[in-house]
């Protein structure tokens, strides 16, 4: 796929996918209102850590989406997948950086706003996300990229980032 159409599709999917899941739904759930379920000495560092998780999640999501266009010559949209296996950037540390980043952003919002309902949302969200990865993405990548994906999968964890980057 050419870079310009891939970038346009990716940007649209970014708004429709992570934008809805990590921004719009958390807003619907809690209205981004601050709650204080714990005393201030606990909430201040909790809110700071939450803000860092939200910002880190956003940075990783943007980077991963760009990586699909630049390295994979495609999009993260299943109907317009990349031509090449994407293993650079944050993909050197974890196979699912987009999903991990979305969870970080949602959990970060729970911490930032002191909203336990967002933690429940993150836990419930894990079920369809894990199912999609396990039953669709991994078999599809195995069929499409074969031994290259098998080698990558054997060295890079799916959900908890490794400390040192993977070198293919």
């Amino acid at each position: 796929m050419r870079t310009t159409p891939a970038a346009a599709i990716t940007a649209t999917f970014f708004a429709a996918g992570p934008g809805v899941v990590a921004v719009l739904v958390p807003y619907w759930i809690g209205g981004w209102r601050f709650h204080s379920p714990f005393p201030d000495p606990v909430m201040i560092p909790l809110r700071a850590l939450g803000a860092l998780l939200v910002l880190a999640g956003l940075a990783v999501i943007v980077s991963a989406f760009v990586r699909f266009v630049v390295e994979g010559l495609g999009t993260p949209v299943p109907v317009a997948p990349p031509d090449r296996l994407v293993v650079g950037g944050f993909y050197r540390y974890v196979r699912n950086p987009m999903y991990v980043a979305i969870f970080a952003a949602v959990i970060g919002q729970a911490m930032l706003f002191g909203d336990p309902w967002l933690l429940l949302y993150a836990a419930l969200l894990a079920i369809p996300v894990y199912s999609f990865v396990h039953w669709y993405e991994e078999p599809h990548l195995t069929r499409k990229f074969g031994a290259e994906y098998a080698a990558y999968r054997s060295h890079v964890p799916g959900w908890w980032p490794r400390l040192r980057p993977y070198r293919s």
Side-chain angles (χ1 to χ4, degrees):
M1 179 178 278
R2 304 190 85 188
T3 304
T4 303
I9 292 168
T10 298
T12 302
F13 184 67
F14 181 84
V20 169
V21 173
V23 178
L24 192 57
V25 172
Y27 176 76
W28 284 339
I29 290 170
W32 290 342
R33 287 182 295 276
F34 289 94
H35 307 280
S36 293
F38 305 111
D40 280 345
V42 174
M43 286 308 299
I44 292 169
L46 197 62
R47 288 189 203 283
L49 182 57
L52 285 174
L53 278 174
V54 170
L55 293 174
L58 178 62
V60 170
I61 292 169
V62 169
S63 173
F65 267 68
V66 168
R67 181 96 16 213
F68 263 73
V69 174
V70 175
E71 181 182 337
L73 304 176
T75 76
V77 182
V79 296
D83 294 331
R84 294 189 221 153
L85 183 63
V86 178
V87 296
F90 289 105
Y91 289 90
R92 296 179 307 154
Y93 298 91
V94 65
R95 289 195 317 267
N96 299 298
M98 284 187 221
Y99 300 129
V100 171
I102 287 171
F103 286 112
V106 172
I107 292 166
Q109 288 175 77
M111 296 165 69
L112 177 65
F113 297 115
D115 191 342
W117 290 107
L118 291 176
L119 293 176
L120 178 61
Y121 168 61
L124 293 174
L125 182 62
I127 297 165
V129 167
Y130 177 81
S131 298
F132 180 73
V133 168
H134 182 73
W135 298 109
Y136 174 75
E137 279 189 356
E138 289 177 345
H140 174 74
L141 292 170
T142 299
R143 283 190 303 277
K144 185 168 184 174
F145 297 110
E148 182 184 10
Y149 179 66
Y152 171 70
R153 187 175 179 193
S154 71
H155 290 94
V156 179
W159 301 101
W160 194 258
R162 58 186 277 152
L163 295 177
R164 294 186 192 151
Y166 167 70
R167 307 261 186 234
S168 58

